[in-house]
Amino acid sequence: MFAAETRAFSKARDAITEPSHAQYEYIVVGGGTAGCAIAATLSEHYKVLLLERGGTPYGNPSIERLEGWADLLRDDPTESSERSPIQAFRSADGVHNRRARVLGGGSAINAGFYNRASDAEVRAAGWKPKSVQEAYEWVEERIASPASLGPWQKALKNGLVQAGVTPDNGLTYEHIQGTKLGHSIFDAQGRRHTAADLLFSANDELLTVLTFASAQRIIFNVSDENKQPRATGVEYTDSRNATHFAYLQDGFQNEVILSAGALGSPQLLLLSGIGSCEHLAEFNITCHVDLSAVGAEMVDNPINAIVLVSPNPLETSLISVAGITHEGVVIEGASGGNWTWQWPGMGQLNIFPPLERSVEMISLVQTNLQNLSSNTKEQIDQSGFILSKVYDPISSGTLRLKSRDVSQNPYVKFNYYTHPRDVETCIRGVKYLHKLLQTPAFQGFRYTTVTPIIALLYPELSSSEGERTDGAYIPDLKNRTETANWCRDTVTTIWHFHGGCVLGKVVDKRYRVFGVRSLRVVDGSTFTKSPGTNPQATVMMLGRYVGVRMLKDRKIAEETVNSRN
């Protein structure tokens, strides 16, 4: 394993080393979950440039080790800390969120759960099942392992079955109704395997990987008024802010591929002149294609969570088990490692509505944590985190530019729980949380009485109404108004945001951008629904799937040209 890591680290180099005006057959913007997969695939036969705005994940224990994940949560990255693997953003809803800025993308900073899309989702996307299967297997043999099943995760699994989330499907990659033990990109030794590991399979002679290479815009040839604009290259800056240009070699099959994620890809399209012409005019950006769907249908799966303090020590675990209900709710959990109360946005510790969650509030929590006694800190560390996720929310929002500076986050609003059906789904999730806490499987993890964690963190505030068991605050189901308000007030994210370049509206079935030539978007921004309980498996699969299809299509096209000659 060490040799592979050294090879991967040496393969990537800082963008300052790359000469300007270099030429390639494919330029992939974004070295994340999709970008690494498609770059590795295309490099089997063609010259590929992969541009990643962050550094590599190798040598960073917070990324590489399961027990280091709490450090990623404690990290407070700012938009200016360009060496951080995480870029913080806060949606206009008020929810604090994070996007990846590192080779491997979200797979380098997430909780590791690996789960395929359902058969229905594969059909809805128009993908070929056999090719999808082959693409998943290509990814899995390189990075996936069975998830661990310690005492807490075993209790969660058994409790879900006892709460009626049946059947018990055991260990499986599949996204099917019931309770399952899934797979993870953390191996049995607790080492993370990110999408960057897929580059081990690339052709070193044909692939160039540049880190700290921040794409500024896509370059178009618009000289022929009778034809659609054609992507010809990418302008990017290096870590010293020097400007470089990478160009496509001559050839109609050569392309630029955007894989910059659900925020990055629509943002780059807008900055490059593809989007609502009216919106682009606000920033004096030349509009090449009037495509108002860019930045539309932005969705983030809302989660609501409770923290359960245990009288017994808990193993350090991330997501291993999923309860997939027939009511649109997914239940998951983590334990130990002191991250259970540091989840992004503080999870159910958010007694303030999202728009009231200020930096001062977070500072207050951190101050109160520092002032706790060592015994109380140990008690809090000895806790488990259970979340309820709305699997297929209807509520959606928009993404727009805030400036022409690509390093600044765009404006994004997800409109959590604005659709009443999503609120009803959350209430059903609360019912499952109530049932789960009462199951025999969880009785060994419950105090009879314990000071609520909220009271420890906010001692100056009076208690809220609702049930408090084992430190968890959970609303009274008899009061639907209170429960609905709890859903809205404690909403947070699990980073499954998607949309902005939706399939059928911004890109066609082959992921080619409408209205231009030689440009595709291949990542989660094309999704209308986050597939599986964690989308990373499907995003990596998509990169491989589209890459293989592009190779096949190109081979056919080249054979056709050769036969005519």
Side-chain angles (χ1 to χ4, degrees), residues 225-237:
E225 296 181 357
N226 297 319
K227 292 184 179 181
Q228 295 176 334
R230 181 171 67 88
T232 58
V234 175
E235 177 186 338
Y236 66 96
T237 56

Side-chain angles (χ1 to χ4, degrees), residues 149 151-163 165 168-171 179-182 320-322 436 441-442:
L149 193 62
W152 167 265
Q153 293 291 338
K154 186 175 182 180
L156 179 60
K157 182 173 182 292
N158 292 339
L160 284 167
V161 173
Q162 292 166 6
V165 187
D168 182 345
N169 293 309
L171 176 67
T179 297
K180 60 173 282 184
L181 173 64
S320 298
V321 170
L436 185 61
F442 264 102

